[in-house]
Amino acid sequence: MRYAMAIDTKKCVGCSDCVVACQTENNVPIGYCRDWVVEVTDGTYPQLELEIRSERCNHCSNAPCVRCCPTGASHYAEGGIVLVTANKCIGCGACIASCPYDARFPHPDGHVDKCTYCNHRLLEGLKPACVSVCPTKCMYFGDLDDPNSEVSRIIKKRKWKTLIPEAGTSPELYFLI
Amino acid sequence: MREEIIVSGRMNHLIDPYLQIWHWPIPFYLFVGGLAAGILFFAALMTIRGKEEQYTAATRYAPFIVPFLLVLGLGALFIDLNHKPYFWRLYTTLRLESPMSWGAWTLMVVTPLSIIWCAINIRYIFPKWQWPYEWLKNLDAFFVKHKMTIAWVMIISSTILGIYTGILFSAFNARPLWNTSILGPLFLASGLSAGAAVIAFMGKTHLEKTTFAKIDLLIIGIELFLIIHLFMGFLASSQVQIEAASLFLGGEYTAPFWIFVVFLGMVVPAILDFLELRGYPIPTVLPMILVLFGSITFRFIIAFAGQASRYLY
């Protein structure tokens, strides 16, 4: 099993519902966020292109954060989800420095925190909170190893990109373009 | 033109607007680690070469600073941790892929070694020293008998410690300024230079002072050579590394790096070492202070500038 998420940049309107849903579902401390929305404007007026992306941890299959963790707190869970075991984390910050997406942050309790793809919801057969609330239904989540999953089919059908592929992290967060 | 903004708002503490996860404790820890590595390296080198009697500051006196340096460094590392009650987790795992794990275990070897080295040399500091218990006397005799083996382990472990102070940064490809293999040898050279400068200052004889002034001069030359290669590598690399180098070539770290690290921390002490070797009466405290100042500033600048450098997407 290989969990992945695909986000349609043509359908995303940047409403930030995904951000609020994540903060509520995961009890993210006030002032912090595990996902965020980026707006990229490219070109020179009047030839401008706009891309809106809902970003989060890329759950890389070659994750530098897992590699550099001195205690094994950062690890791959079932389906390749990158998680942090709070009571193994010493809060050294190495994983934070190693993430090219700046997707991790130090939780006020001391351990490192990040997107979990709502692992607790997946275990109950639910989709991640951000995916389930998206009003434009621009997010697709599922098992990439299953050719019939929603995410496999949309990735086969549409053009996509990943962020900073040159960093060699093999991200599992796809942006449909 | 390309403009990228976070529209949902993101101001994660220590992450935004730019990474500041590592404050003063990490560069301080790397500085004292490098200095400790430098002193232990020369203590072991002179012992292995059978020059203990000629170079007493290197082999017998300077190593007494090392355990204090390492304790200070470990204290700084502890202060830096955000989840302090779980500190012990570092020593329940050995992760070969993690430089932080390597560093923790290397310190676990080097710190007791430095204490053993001090114990077997303590009679040179306190001539009337007597170990209180018989088993301590036997242990001391055992270590004295195996001094050469300890010196070999120490020269290898101190080299690993010196290189590790740079590898800790260079292993992160997310930070383009750090992501260069030159940082390992460069930080090792910086630590050795600091160690040599301290030994030259503590040297009891003219021979020891001039030998370590020569060694310091040679290492500073190597450091300058490595710095040139560092920037050549950056400028011949990808856009992110060109932009990382620009922090030092016109960017906000230009003046502190070239004035404090290169000029005051390397060029001036090299000139002072050279003048001392030509017979001018230069107090060895001057190059030592400048080298130590350059060495610590270098680590602070690399730590902070590295966190300011990032990938653009």
Side-chain angles (χ1 to χ4, degrees):
Chain A
M1 193 189 306
R2 186 159 60 103
Y3 283 126
M5 190 182 281
I7 296 167
D8 193 340
T9 59
K10 302 288 183 202
K11 276 163 83 178
C12 178
V13 292
C15 68
S16 303
D17 233 11
C18 48
V19 179
V20 177
C22 170
Q23 287 169 328
T24 314
E25 173 69 29
N26 295 296
N27 203 16
V28 177
I30 293 170
Y32 292 87
C33 51
R34 290 181 178 183
D35 58 349
W36 58 94
V37 178
V38 175
E39 194 178 281
V40 184
T41 314
D42 228 338
T44 312
Y45 182 82
Q47 268 84 44
L48 292 173
E49 270 182 35
L50 180 71
E51 181 178 282
I52 302 175
R53 296 191 302 254
S54 169
E55 294 185 9
R56 61 201 33 65
C57 168
N58 285 244
H59 294 276
C60 309
S61 41
N62 182 26
C65 52
V66 172
R67 236 182 8 252
C68 75
C69 176
T71 65
S74 284
H75 64 281
Y76 297 109
E78 196 194 352
I81 299 175
V82 177
L83 295 179
V84 180
T85 308
N87 66 5
K88 269 191 170 181
C89 175
I90 59 171
C92 67
C95 59
I96 292 174
S98 78
C99 176
Y101 311 102
D102 284 343
R104 293 171 162 243
F105 60 86
H107 190 282
D109 288 347
H111 61 83
V112 167
D113 199 16
K114 63 180 278 298
C115 161
T116 60
Y117 269 166
C118 282
N119 199 29
H120 60 288
R121 287 173 61 92
L122 301 182
L123 293 171
E124 291 176 17
L126 300 167
K127 286 183 176 172
C130 54
V131 178
S132 67
V133 299
C134 179
T136 63
K137 304 212 181 307
C138 75
M139 297 182 185
Y140 305 87
F141 184 83
D143 178 9
L144 264 192
D145 285 343
D146 172 8
N148 295 317
S149 70
E150 201 181 22
V151 73
S152 292
R153 280 186 282 133
I154 197 85
I155 279 178
K156 213 175 282 173
K157 205 165 82 185
R158 293 274 301 273
K159 268 191 181 176
W160 52 265
K161 69 172 181 182
T162 53
L163 299 180
I164 330 179
E166 65 273 25
T169 56
S170 307
E172 295 294 355
L173 181 61
Y174 298 83
F175 292 94
L176 306 174
I177 50 175
Chain B
M1 199 195 114
R2 185 180 172 89
E3 188 185 62
E4 187 178 310
I5 51 167
I6 295 176
V7 290
S8 65
R10 191 186 83 170
M11 201 43 76
N12 288 342
H13 180 54
L14 303 180
I15 311 298
D16 299 305
Y18 57 88
L19 190 70
Q20 303 167 69
I21 190 69
W22 284 343
H23 288 278
W24 67 267
I26 291 288
F28 176 77
Y29 156 68
L30 297 179
F31 163 69
V32 292
L35 175 59
I39 293 174
L40 290 183
F41 179 89
F42 289 117
L45 181 71
M46 291 306 176
T47 305
I48 290 167
R49 293 181 67 213
K51 304 261 172 105
E52 267 183 281
E53 297 301 327
Q54 290 106 304
Y55 299 104
T56 51
T59 55
R60 291 171 188 166
Y61 303 118
F64 275 88
I65 310 169
V66 173
F68 297 101
L69 289 175
L70 293 175
V71 167
L72 277 177
L74 283 167
L77 181 62
F78 183 73
I79 289 170
D80 180 69
L81 297 181
N82 287 311
H83 216 199
K84 293 181 177 61
Y86 296 89
F87 177 75
W88 53 275
R89 289 278 192 188
L90 268 177
Y91 294 107
T92 55
T93 334
L94 172 60
R95 291 182 50 81
L96 296 180
E97 283 184 319
S98 161
M100 193 70 98
S101 182
W102 265 93
W105 284 102
T106 305
L107 282 173
M108 196 60 151
V109 174
V110 173
T111 309
L113 266 183
S114 70
I115 294 169
I116 291 170
W117 195 262
C118 292
I120 57 182
N121 285 301
I122 200 160
R123 62 180 65 84
Y124 298 108
I125 303 269
F126 304 106
K128 291 179 181 169
W129 182 271
Q130 287 292 327
W131 292 104
Y133 305 108
E134 198 58 36
W135 66 271
L136 276 178
K137 283 180 191 162
N138 292 339
L139 200 60
D140 180 53
F142 173 80
F143 287 136
V144 170
K145 191 178 159 197
H146 293 94
K147 200 173 194 175
M148 205 51 88
T149 315
I150 296 172
W152 274 107
V153 177
M154 210 160 77
I155 203 166
I156 294 166
S157 55
S158 61
T159 307
I160 293 173
L161 177 63
I163 290 183
Y164 148 75
T165 60
I167 298 290
L168 180 68
F169 285 151
S170 69
F172 296 133
N173 78 339
R175 311 293 152 197
L177 181 75
W178 290 347
N179 193 212
T180 162
S181 52
I182 300 269
L183 272 192
L186 185 53
F187 274 28
L188 172 67
S190 170
L192 290 177
S193 165
V198 168
I199 295 168
F201 167 68
M202 293 178 75
K204 298 281 178 198
T205 60
H206 180 69
L207 170 76
E208 188 161 24
K209 279 187 181 292
T210 51
T211 304
F212 278 91
K214 274 183 207 163
I215 291 174
D216 198 24
L217 193 56
L218 174 74
I219 299 170
I220 289 173
I222 294 170
E223 277 184 273
L224 292 170
F225 171 79
L226 289 172
I227 285 173
I228 292 167
H229 273 248
L230 179 79
F231 285 101
M232 279 172 66
F234 280 148
L235 294 175
S237 187
S238 55
Q239 186 62 29
V240 285
Q241 288 200 311
I242 293 171
E243 282 176 24
S246 73
L247 287 169
F248 294 85
L249 303 171
E252 59 181 305
Y253 290 94
T254 309
F257 179 73
W258 295 103
I259 294 174
F260 295 139
V261 178
V262 176
F263 184 69
L264 284 179
M266 293 177 194
V267 175
V268 175
I271 293 169
L272 292 175
D273 280 339
F274 179 75
L275 291 176
E276 190 193 342
L277 292 170
R278 296 294 295 263
Y280 290 90
I282 305 287
T284 44
V285 69
L286 270 182
M288 180 191 74
I289 288 172
L290 289 171
V291 165
L292 293 182
F293 169 75
S295 186
I296 194 165
T297 313
F298 186 31
R299 279 153 174 91
F300 270 86
I301 287 178
I302 292 289
F304 293 145
Q307 292 182 85
S309 80
R310 54 166 298 194
Y311 270 94
L312 298 169
Y313 58 89

